[in-house]
Amino acid sequence: MSSTMQKPNHALTQGAIGKTLFLFTLPILAGNVLQSLNGSVNAIWIGHGLGEAALAAASNANTILFFLIGAVFGVGMAATILVGQSIGANNLDQAKRAIGTSLVFFIVLSVVIAAIGLTLAEPLMAWMHMPVEAKPLAVAYLRVIFLAIPFIYVMAFVSMSLRGAGDARTPFVFLAVNVALDIALNPLLIFGWGPVPRMGIAGSATATLIATVLTLAGLIGYLYRSKHFLRIKREELHYLRIDPEILKSLVAKGVPMGLQMIVMSTSMIAMISLVNSFGAHTTAAYGACFQLWNYIQMPSIAVGMAASSMAAQNVGAGLWGRVDRVALTGLGFNILLTGCLVLVVTLFNRGALGLFLPADGGSIEIAQHINHIVVWSFILFGISFVLAGVVRSTGAVIPPLVILVIALWAVRIPFAYGFVHAWGADAMWWSFPLGSSVSAILSALYYRYGGWRKARMLAPAALSVGSADSRTSSADPA
């Protein structure tokens, strides 16, 4: 590893917006591809090696995992925005205060959530009306995943903070290592080999646990060996305490963003609970579609994350003209990239689904029908995601939450449950484009006419704290 100190990157506030946003998006998109590839490969091993009941179990368990991540994810998102604004304003002291405070908060809360989750694994699966044949498999999977929760959270937090500071490459490299380890360990632990016992579906979760622990250790070691400017040095251990002003901002801004994840995950739980009522074939079909949807949504998520980090640095630097151009460029990238994936999935629908479902199992025809109705709506999802990311970069976190609640809990879920008796399963599938349309329209209206440009992450007094220290911190000796 190089001993040269890594310094803050201000490229996000300079140069051509299209090129800069695209180059910053690429490692995020590649990372999303790797994560989804990881999930898909694991689903292939589970679906073909252990059967449709095991695939249904993993789909339900991963829905719970998404919910648990959402419970604390907002703090990480708030820290990312604050780090980005701090780097844009050349205030490294404030960036480290944000990282130290949120890291302590993150670790404690994630351990508590993991402990609670371990005790509630079986009741959760019963509440979600899991098919009888899949319930014990889901519980076994969940109990191992809960052990991995603190490591998953810290890994995600460190990666998000690095992106907020303009470093998208380092998180991608270590995510690639994580995925490679997970993919290699999955068949070994699921099926066993030599002295390694056959663990079944719990082996897939154990592979995730081992891969995450090893990768997180490697990432932390790299940050210190490379003298990364965001590392907390021995003489800076005072940053690893709760700063009241930073914590107030992280909670005030992070809770609404975390609630967005919870709103999404609870709607997913409500939806899959309704899907489960149609039997294991429909649940397996929905799980296979969900794997493909992860890929379709990747460009939108990557562009939205890149646009949010880029906008945050420009907000910190006071470059509002660039913030608007970042939003428009992000929308163009989303429509182009997501539209291409929608076209590919539409043309090769059965072949893609066949990666996850047996050709004669009864689920693949249902999955094809689901995709024909749902996939195009992810272009609209991308519009909402990009605009919400730019809006949140200033600290305006409540309006995107309200829009999401309306789209999911006032439109999508009521429509699915309200029309399921008249339309059957089609009511669930048509609720996706309906909810996405409402979300895109409301997001565009708020971006155009809302007061998001006046929002701030910290009060002016807090922003000035440590500004002199930041010059000292940025002069970190190699």
Side-chain angles (χ1 to χ4, degrees):
M1 295 291 181
S2 172
S3 61
T4 303
M5 183 189 71
Q6 293 190 13
K7 298 181 179 180
N9 178 11
H10 297 290
L12 302 187
T13 59
Q14 303 167 3
I17 289 176
K19 178 181 178 182
T20 303
L21 181 60
F22 181 72
L23 292 177
F24 193 68
T25 297
L26 280 180
I28 299 177
L29 177 58
N32 290 343
V33 170
L34 286 176
Q35 282 186 308
S36 290
L37 178 64
N38 186 23
S40 298
V41 170
N42 294 350
I44 291 171
W45 284 116
I46 292 171
H48 286 282
L50 302 177
E52 290 185 355
L55 181 60
S59 298
N60 279 264
N62 285 327
T63 301
I64 294 293
L65 176 61
F66 186 82
F67 171 82
L68 291 173
I69 291 175
V72 295
F73 196 62
V75 176
M77 294 173 68
T80 299
I81 293 171
L82 189 51
V83 168
Q85 290 186 4
S86 301
I87 296 301
N90 292 311
N91 193 339
L92 189 55
D93 172 73
Q94 181 176 281
K96 289 194 174 185
R97 285 193 293 136
I99 288 174
T101 296
S102 53
L103 182 60
V104 173
F105 181 78
F106 222 77
I107 290 174
V108 173
L109 191 58
S110 66
V111 170
V112 171
I113 289 174
I116 294 173
L118 279 168
T119 63
L120 295 180
E122 192 164 356
L124 280 172
M125 291 297 96
W127 178 71
M128 290 175 63
H129 309 293
M130 275 289 296
V132 175
E133 63 270 29
K135 181 180 174 181
L137 299 173
V139 172
Y141 184 90
L142 269 179
R143 283 179 173 157
V144 180
I145 283 294
F146 284 134
L147 295 175
I149 285 288
F151 304 101
I152 292 172
Y153 284 173
V154 174
M155 181 76 183
F157 166 73
V158 174
S159 297
M160 292 169 66
S161 297
L162 290 173
R163 292 189 192 106
D167 181 4
R169 178 183 176 274
T170 299
F172 166 71
V173 170
F174 282 90
L175 177 60
V177 173
N178 189 6
V179 169
L181 287 172
D182 201 351
I183 289 177
L185 290 172
N186 249 270
L188 175 65
L189 298 179
I190 290 174
F191 304 109
W193 183 75
V196 179
R198 177 186 175 94
M199 299 178 66
I201 195 170
S204 180
T206 303
T208 298
L209 170 61
I210 295 173
T212 305
V213 170
L214 293 177
T215 306
L216 177 60
L219 174 57
I220 293 173
Y222 167 76
L223 294 178
Y224 279 87
R225 284 195 300 273
S226 65
K227 299 183 179 180
H228 198 282
F229 63 90
L230 286 183
R231 78 195 189 284
I232 305 296
K233 297 178 293 181
R234 182 176 302 176
E235 63 270 23
E236 295 176 333
L237 293 179
H238 61 276
Y239 286 120
L240 294 176
R241 60 178 175 82
I242 299 296
D243 183 308
E245 288 297 328
I246 296 289
L247 180 61
K248 180 180 178 181
S249 174
L250 292 176
V251 172
K253 305 298 183 179
V255 167
M257 287 190 281
L259 285 174
Q260 290 184 58
M261 299 289 289
I262 292 174
V263 167
M264 292 174 64
S265 59
T266 52
S267 73
M268 290 167 59
I269 292 171
M271 185 64 71
I272 202 168
S273 297
L274 185 58
V275 170
N276 286 339
S277 68
F278 284 83
H281 284 311
T282 301
T283 300
Y286 182 74
C289 287
F290 205 84
Q291 289 294 326
L292 289 181
W293 297 348
N294 285 335
Y295 287 99
I296 296 172
Q297 294 176 83
M298 281 190 294
S300 300
I301 294 172
V303 172
M305 292 172 66
S308 185
S309 295
M310 190 171 178
Q313 286 204 18
N314 283 282
V315 167
L319 303 174
W320 290 98
R322 286 180 64 87
V323 173
D324 286 326
R325 294 198 297 275
V326 166
L328 291 176
T329 305
L331 289 176
F333 284 161
N334 160 67
I335 293 171
L336 176 63
L337 297 174
T338 305
C340 288
L341 287 181
V342 168
L343 180 61
V344 169
V345 170
T346 301
L347 293 175
F348 302 100
N349 196 3
R350 186 179 182 89
L353 291 167
L355 293 173
F356 311 103
L357 296 168
D360 57 352
S363 297
I364 196 165
E365 286 78 13
I366 299 173
Q368 285 182 272
H369 178 68
I370 296 171
N371 268 346
H372 283 310
I373 296 173
V374 173
V375 289
W376 64 271
S377 68
F378 291 112
I379 298 174
L380 299 174
F381 161 82
I383 292 174
S384 300
F385 198 89
V386 172
L387 292 179
V390 174
V391 164
R392 285 194 299 264
S393 70
T394 65
V397 296
I398 299 297
L401 172 62
V402 173
I403 290 171
L404 190 65
V405 170
I406 292 172
L408 295 182
W409 284 102
V411 177
R412 178 181 291 178
I413 299 302
F415 183 90
Y417 275 81
F419 286 87
V420 71
H421 295 295
W423 290 15
D426 276 359
M428 297 184 293
W429 319 140
W430 279 108
S431 71
F432 282 87
L434 179 61
S436 296
S437 298
V438 171
S439 179
I441 292 170
L442 292 179
S443 296
L445 289 174
Y446 179 72
Y447 180 86
R448 176 66 179 83
Y449 299 107
W452 59 276
R453 291 172 179 82
K454 299 178 181 178
R456 294 292 180 268
M457 286 294 295
L458 289 173
L463 284 169
S464 64
V465 173
S467 59
D469 295 334
S470 70
R471 289 191 292 270
T472 301
S473 297
S474 64
D476 184 2

